[in-house]
Amino acid sequence: MHNQQNSSAVDSFRTDPVPKIIIRNSIPALIAMIMVMVYNIADTFFLGLTHNDLYVTAVSFATPLFMIFMSLGTLFGVGGTSVISRALGAGRKDYARSVSSFCMWSCVAVGAVFMAILWVFLDRITVMLGASEESMGLTRDYLRIAIGCGVFSMISNCFSSIVRTEGEAMKAMTGTLIGNLINMVLDPIFILVFKWGVAGAAIATVIGNAIAAGYYILYFIRGKSTLSISPKYFSMKEGILTGVLSVGISASLANLLVSVSSIVVNSQLGHYPNGDMLVAGYGVTAKIIMIVTLIGIGIGSGVQPFLGYCYGAKEKLRLEQGIRFSAGFGLVLCFIVSALCFIFAKPVVRVFLTDMTALDSGVHFTRILMTTAWLIGAFAICQNTLQAIGAATSALLASVFRQGVIFIPAVFIMKAIMGIDGLIWAQPVADVLSLIIVIIMLKSKIDKTDFTKAKTEDD
C-alpha cells in the first residue's frame, strides 16, 4: 500500500502544476535546512552563554573539519538523488533500488575509514587548522568526540536527499528535524547544567546525528519505500558507481571547498593581533551567512528530484518552468533574509559574543558578506539543476569556481590590497563571478540537450 502511495507521489511530478510541485517539495526541504541552521547556531549560542569566547573560537576552528563528513554524505546523497530521480522518470525502479543500497553502504564504509584517519592524526590536524595555544586544547576536545558521529552524519545527510526522490519531502524533513531537535535539547543540559563546555556540545552533536540516521534506517527497514538499503541490492555495476560519483563529487566538493575556504580565512585572521577574537567574530558571521546559504540549498535540493524526473522523462517544457520558478523563488527569499541580517547584524552577533573585538568584527564581517549573499539562492538552483540532469562536469566546475578557483586566490590578493577587509570581500567577488559562470553553463547545457532521446551525461 505504501509503495503505491510513493508511486503516486512520483507520478505527480508529471501531472501537477509546476509551481505547486516546487512549493510542495521546497518547503519541507527549507524547514529541514532551517533546522540544520538552528542546530548549527545552537552550539555557538549556548557556548556563548558561558561568557567564554574561547569556546566559540574552538568550535569555529573545528566546524570546517567536521563539515567534511557532511560533504561526504552529500556526495552520495546528491549523486544518488540525481541517478535515482532520472531512473524513476524512466521507469527503472529496480535500478533505483540498487543505487539507494549502494549509497547506504558506501556511507558506512567511507565514513568509518575517514573517522579512523582523523582520530589517528587529530593532534597534527588541530595544528593545521590554525588554532592558537589558547584555543588548541578546546578545539581538540571538541573534535575528539564530534568525529564519533561521522558515519551517522553521512547517513542522515545522504538519505535526507534520497528519500525526496519518491516525493516524500515531509518524511525526508522529519529525520533531520528529529536529530536537530534532540541536539538542541541536549545542548543546554550538557553545556550549562553539567558544565561540560565544548565536550558537551560535541556529545549532543553525536547523539543528534545518531538518532537522525536511525530514523532513516528504520524508514527503509519497515518497508516504507520503493527503494532499499538492503545489502542484497548493493551493486556498483551498470554505471551506478560512476553515475553517483560523477554528480555527487561536484556537490561534495562544493561543501568541502566551503570548509577549506573557512580554514584559509581562519588561519589568515589568526595572524593578526587579537586573532582568536577575530576568528570568533568570523565564526559567528559564518553561522549567520549559513542562514541564507541553507535557504538556497534547501530550495535547490527540494526541487532537484522533480528536475531530474523531468529530464529523465524528456519533459523539456516542465524542466524549464521548474528552473525559472524555483530560481525566482530562491532569489526573492534569499534577498529578504539577507536584508534582515544586514539590518539586524549587531543585535544578532551580540547574542553570541561579549568581547568587543569579536563583536565589532562579527558585525562588520556580516554586513560585508550580506551585500551579495542573496545571490546564493539563484546559484544553488542552477547548480542543483546541473546535478539533477547529470551534467557532472558543469556542476563540478561550478563548485570549483565559487569556493576554489575564484575565492581562494581572491583572499590572498585582496588581503594584500585591503588587509582584513580584503579577506572578507573576497567572498562577494566570488559570489558574483560564479553566478555569471553557472548561468552560462546551464543555458549551454539545456540548449545542447536533445530531448528526443534519453541523455544522462555531459555532451
Side-chain angles (χ1 to χ4, degrees), residues 5 259 276 280 361 368 441 447:
Q5 292 175 347
S259 297
D276 278 342
S361 63
I368 290 175
M441 288 193 297
D447 289 344

Side-chain angles (χ1 to χ4, degrees), residues 69 72 76 105-119 147 149-152 154:
F69 285 112
L72 292 171
F76 297 105
W105 296 105
S106 296
C107 282
V108 173
V110 173
V113 170
F114 195 67
M115 285 167 58
I117 292 172
L118 291 182
W119 268 323
I147 289 169
C149 74
V151 170
F152 302 132
M154 286 183 63

Side-chain angles (χ1 to χ4, degrees), residues 315-337:
E315 295 276 358
K316 182 179 181 182
L317 180 60
R318 288 174 70 79
L319 174 64
E320 291 178 335
Q321 289 175 338
I323 294 170
R324 285 195 296 268
F325 185 86
S326 55
F329 182 42
L331 269 175
V332 171
L333 198 56
C334 286
F335 180 82
I336 293 171
V337 175

Side-chain angles (χ1 to χ4, degrees), residues 23 119 154 167 180 226 239 265-266 275 323-324 373 376 382 414 420:
I23 297 298
W119 268 323
M154 286 183 63
N180 290 340
T226 54
V265 174
N266 284 341
I323 294 170
R324 285 195 296 268
I376 293 173
C382 292
M414 297 185 70
I420 293 177

Side-chain angles (χ1 to χ4, degrees), residues 419-450:
I420 293 177
D421 278 3
L423 280 172
I424 312 304
W425 274 107
Q427 187 63 68
V429 170
D431 288 342
V432 173
L433 294 180
S434 60
L435 178 59
I436 294 171
I437 291 170
V438 77
I439 289 174
I440 293 172
M441 288 193 297
L442 179 58
K443 186 177 186 306
S444 174
K445 176 62 182 176
I446 296 293
D447 289 344
K448 291 179 180 178
T449 297
D450 181 0

Side-chain angles (χ1 to χ4, degrees), residues 41-294:
I41 289 176
D43 281 357
T44 306
F45 173 74
F46 290 113
L47 288 171
L49 292 180
T50 65
H51 302 297
N52 184 346
D53 287 348
L54 279 176
Y55 284 167
V56 178
T57 301
V59 174
S60 298
F61 276 121
T63 297
L65 182 65
F66 177 70
M67 285 178 64
I68 293 176
F69 285 112
M70 297 178 64
S71 300
L72 292 171
T74 299
L75 187 156
F76 297 105
V78 172
T81 295
S82 176
V83 177
I84 291 169
S85 60
R86 282 180 279 130
L88 292 175
R92 304 177 65 193
K93 292 184 179 180
D94 289 340
Y95 186 76
R97 191 176 293 116
S98 293
V99 176
S100 62
S101 178
F102 166 79
C103 291
M104 171 66 187
W105 296 105
S106 296
C107 282
V108 173
V110 173
V113 170
F114 195 67
M115 285 167 58
I117 292 172
L118 291 182
W119 268 323
V120 170
F121 297 103
L122 182 59
D123 289 345
R124 295 182 184 179
I125 290 170
T126 305
V127 174
M128 290 171 59
L129 291 174
S132 67
E133 291 184 7
E134 290 79 8
S135 58
M136 186 173 296
L138 293 172
T139 303
R140 190 186 300 112
D141 290 344
Y142 181 87
L143 284 173
R144 183 177 291 113
I145 298 169
I147 289 169
C149 74
V151 170
F152 302 132
S153 177
M154 286 183 63
I155 292 173
S156 60
N157 273 279
C158 176
F159 284 92
S160 65
S161 293
I162 287 178
V163 170
R164 280 194 292 268
T165 61
E166 302 181 277
E168 295 287 1
M170 291 299 294
K171 288 184 173 61
M173 176 194 73
T174 302
T176 303
L177 193 65
I178 292 173
N180 290 340
L181 284 174
I182 292 295
N183 185 300
M184 287 185 288
V185 169
L186 294 179
D187 264 338
I189 297 173
F190 292 167
I191 295 172
L192 302 176
V193 178
F194 293 172
K195 300 186 184 302
W196 290 348
V198 292
I203 294 170
T205 296
V206 173
I207 295 174
N209 276 274
I211 291 175
Y215 168 86
Y216 293 115
I217 292 171
L218 192 61
Y219 169 77
F220 287 103
I221 289 176
R222 287 180 173 179
K224 295 185 175 183
S225 173
T226 54
L227 304 176
S228 176
I229 60 171
S230 173
K232 70 180 181 181
Y233 293 112
F234 179 90
S235 175
M236 294 189 290
K237 300 178 181 178
E238 297 185 74
I240 291 177
L241 175 64
T242 55
V244 171
L245 296 186
S246 63
V247 175
I249 284 173
S250 65
S252 177
L253 187 59
N255 288 341
L256 182 61
L257 286 173
V258 169
S259 297
V260 171
S261 62
S262 295
I263 291 171
V264 169
V265 174
N266 284 341
S267 65
Q268 293 300 306
L269 288 173
H271 296 156
Y272 286 93
N274 295 318
D276 278 342
M277 293 303 100
L278 291 175
V279 170
Y282 184 73
V284 171
T285 294
K287 300 290 186 183
I288 297 173
I289 199 72
M290 189 181 295
I291 298 172
V292 187
T293 301
L294 290 177

